[in-house]
Amino acid sequence: MSVTSGLGGLLSIDLGALARNWRALDKVSAGALTGAVVKADAYGTGITPSSKALYAAGARFFFVATPDEAIAVRSALPDAHIFVLGGLYPGAANLYVRQNLMPVIGSMPMLEEWLAKCLERNEAYASAFHFDTGMNRLGFRLNEASLVKQRIETLGYAPQMIMSHLACADQPNHEKNRTQLALFGSVMAQFPGIPASLANSAGLMTGRDYHFQMVRPGIALYGGRAVVGRKNPMAPVVTLHVPILQVKEARTGETVGYGANYTLARDSRLAIIAYGYADGFLRSASGSNTRPGAKVVVNGRLCPVLGRISMDTSIIDVTELGDNLPRPGEGVEVLGPTLGVDDQADAAGTIGYEILTSLKGRYTRNYVGDGNLG
Ligand SMILES: *Cc1c(COP(=O)(O)O)cnc(C)c1O
């Protein structure tokens, strides 16, 4: 690939694939509404174009983490239903009302602030309630459910939805899933008739028992692996090519990169690429003599990173390419059909989520396809 539209590399985001992924998940969760989680800049893919493509594919319910993200979705989609997973940020009630955002309320102070706004305006503004069934993260504790219920009943208020979040959905056989499912059932029993939502991508794939009235996939929309140890059925959405800056010869016994923690065992040819940890190439994917690092695709071949990944550059072993050496300016694939988000995650000892949300580097973004055609 020649780097023309972006000298610093090219991140290509396939909105058609994104739309196809949403539709595929919507089929799996037939009978439930399929939301779309677009927090963290739509997992690094761009919150505005991705939200529009998801809307064109049919999504109407959007989940973001923060008020700023919610405003971005609201500007792009005037009639989307928007849930803010971080809840009601203190002091933000007027903003939520003005922008028609639904806080996912998970504590008594949040609830009181929202109800105070409702009373002040004499309007039952929509919200969702989050109950913590076993993460000790956001959400009311289960023993607060009856208090919450009493409080809203005296006012005649009801949430649009009650929800919880699974801690171990990526491992479908983990017993915590059944426990959380049962606890969520006990909360639902206290809020009869209110739509319920429990499943993220992995929960959606785990089975119907987890779907209820709304599913909330994120990672699977963006092509990432949701369930561990299973073939990932989703279409890849991101492709990233970065340019080679220099190709050089190096000798046996010489060291490579910071810390000199890789020593060449043979005369080698090295390609220096314009891609470092400031671009999202996690430093934990560095290679040493004792632990292999990430690979990238050069001229159709997998080539390993040698030594530590630097801020702006990484060093690739292209010796195996023989006479088929790449030239400066040529692009190498660091994410794409050959090396997916989860391959790079495995190499870095992390998860695809972190690879995607680290995509904020110094390359040009290019959107291909569209939500209608996907
Ligand atoms: C991020 C998030 C999701 C989406 O999770 P994925 O694993 O990316 O599908 C769903 N629900 C909540 C509460 C979240 O925080």
Side-chain angles (χ1 to χ4, degrees):
M1 189 204 102
S2 74
V3 180
T4 48
S5 46
L7 284 175
L10 193 59
L11 175 65
S12 179
I13 294 153
D14 186 344
L15 296 176
L18 178 65
R20 280 198 301 286
N21 285 341
W22 185 86
R23 289 207 180 102
L25 295 172
D26 189 43
K27 276 214 180 88
V28 175
S29 62
L33 293 167
T34 304
V37 181
V38 294
K39 61 193 181 187
D41 205 23
Y43 291 54
T45 64
I47 194 165
T48 298
S50 289
S51 296
K52 283 182 174 169
L54 289 161
Y55 188 94
R60 292 295 178 270
F61 297 86
F62 291 80
F63 292 83
V64 296
T66 72
D68 282 345
E69 293 171 351
I71 290 167
V73 176
R74 174 58 70 226
S75 319
L77 302 171
D79 47 279
H81 304 279
I82 303 172
F83 293 97
V84 184
L85 291 168
L88 179 58
Y89 278 49
N94 281 335
L95 172 76
Y96 284 46
V97 166
R98 210 162 49 237
Q99 297 274 340
N100 190 16
L101 311 176
M102 292 179 279
V104 176
I105 293 171
S107 71
M108 293 313 287
M110 268 186 205
L111 178 62
E112 289 305 335
E113 190 173 346
W114 194 243
L115 292 176
K117 186 56 61 183
C118 293
L119 288 169
E120 177 195 316
R121 307 273 186 93
N122 197 25
E123 192 72 58
Y125 296 119
S127 67
F129 290 177
H130 188 170
F131 291 92
D132 181 1
T133 52
M135 278 196 80
N136 274 314
R137 203 175 65 169
L138 292 170
F140 291 105
R141 288 186 70 80
L142 290 178
N143 62 13
E144 291 178 300
S146 54
L147 193 63
V148 170
K149 188 178 153 79
Q150 276 172 29
R151 183 73 183 102
I152 63 173
E153 273 177 1
T154 55
L155 297 173
Y157 181 88
Q160 305 303 111
M161 188 168 85
I162 57 169
M163 57 171 267
S164 189
H165 191 50
L166 296 165
C168 306
D170 59 330
Q171 304 158 69
N173 296 323
H174 200 294
E175 67 172 60
K176 184 125 195 156
N177 295 316
R178 306 302 304 178
T179 309
Q180 288 194 269
L181 184 64
L183 291 173
F184 191 53
S186 72
V187 178
M188 288 170 61
Q190 296 190 65
F191 295 89
I194 308 286
S197 175
L198 179 61
N200 59 355
S201 302
L204 189 167
M205 292 173 177
T206 297
R208 291 202 158 275
D209 293 357
Y210 292 85
H211 292 176
F212 300 106
Q213 282 70 46
M214 170 99 72
V215 291
R216 312 185 303 267
I219 190 71
L221 295 172
Y222 308 99
R225 175 177 67 207
V227 177
V228 175
R230 218 190 262 177
K231 192 176 174 313
N232 178 3
M234 310 315 294
V237 170
V238 298
T239 307
L240 176 58
H241 288 88
V242 298
I244 291 173
L245 299 176
Q246 190 176 351
V247 179
K248 61 179 13 165
E249 311 256 344
R251 295 277 167 235
T252 310
E254 292 177 2
T255 67
V256 174
Y258 282 124
N261 75 335
Y262 190 93
T263 304
L264 294 171
R266 60 179 177 183
D267 290 349
S268 302
R269 286 181 171 137
L270 306 176
I272 319 305
I273 60 172
Y275 186 50
Y277 59 78
D279 306 299
F281 204 13
L282 302 182
R283 212 165 152 275
S284 55
S286 299
S288 71
N289 290 94
T290 50
R291 187 192 172 280
K295 296 189 170 74
V296 303
V297 184
V298 189
N299 283 347
R301 230 181 135 121
L302 289 174
C303 298
V305 173
L306 299 187
R308 287 195 190 148
I309 292 167
S310 318
M311 184 185 290
D312 318 309
T313 55
S314 304
I315 303 158
I316 310 299
D317 184 3
V318 292
T319 315
E320 296 294 328
L321 296 177
D323 292 335
N324 192 21
L325 272 189
R327 297 218 190 90
E330 276 181 43
V332 308
E333 177 193 312
V334 296
L335 286 175
T338 314
L339 272 171
V341 165
D342 291 294
D343 297 312
Q344 294 299 17
D346 291 344
T350 184
I351 52 178
Y353 300 72
E354 194 176 14
I355 301 293
L356 285 168
T357 55
S358 301
L359 288 176
K360 42 178 97 96
R362 297 167 281 185
Y363 22 79
T364 304
R365 275 165 189 254
N366 185 33
Y367 290 91
V368 299
D370 99 30
N372 293 304
L373 303 174

